[in-house]
Every structure is written in structure tokens, then in C-alpha cells.
Amino acid sequence: EQQRQEALDRERMMAVKYKELDIFKLDVIARELKGLDNELQLQGCEVKAVQRDVGKLRNYDEQQAFSIHGDILLEQCRQ
């Protein structure tokens, strides 16, 4: 009977430990998702800037300005 109780105690301890590990994993995942969300917000801001500038494309100089925004977006995507 004592061995059975010890085995049950070990099982409970392992269940608690696994639960703690699951919570830790969820915390890590949440932090990673928050980082990705921040990056997406930054990309969204850049895309909005490009959208605003697209309406201004009338000549070569303005096309060059658009090209700069495109380069910024590409660089951010590579990071």
C-alpha cells in the first residue's frame, strides 16, 4: 500500500511539473507572437506610407521616391 501511495504521489508531482512546463511554453509562445505582431504593425505603417505615395507618382523623381519605400519594405522583410 505504501508503494502504491508513493507512486501516486510521484504521479501527482509529475503532473504538476508538466503543467508548469506547459504554462512556461505558452508564455514563450505569447512573447514570440507579440514580437511578430509588432513587426506586422511596422510593416503595416510602411505599406500605408507606400499607398499614400502611390497616388503621387507623376514623374521620374516621384517614381524614385516610391522605389525608396519599396527598398525599405524589402529590407524589413529580409530581417
Side-chain angles (χ1 to χ4, degrees), residues 5 7 11 19 45 49 56-57 60 65 67 74:
Q5 187 60 40
E11 182 182 355
K19 188 174 183 177
C45 291
K56 300 175 185 176
L57 295 176
Y60 182 76
S67 176
L74 285 174

Side-chain angles (χ1 to χ4, degrees), residues 56-72:
K56 300 175 185 176
L57 295 176
R58 304 263 189 263
N59 61 38
Y60 182 76
D61 292 335
E62 292 171 344
Q63 290 173 358
Q64 292 303 310
F66 176 75
S67 176
I68 291 170
H69 285 297
D71 291 342
I72 290 170

Side-chain angles (χ1 to χ4, degrees), residues 5-21:
Q5 187 60 40
E6 288 173 358
L8 288 173
D9 289 341
R10 282 193 306 267
E11 182 182 355
R12 280 189 217 114
M13 288 176 59
M14 287 176 52
V16 168
K17 187 177 284 189
Y18 281 123
K19 188 174 183 177
E20 289 173 358
L21 287 173

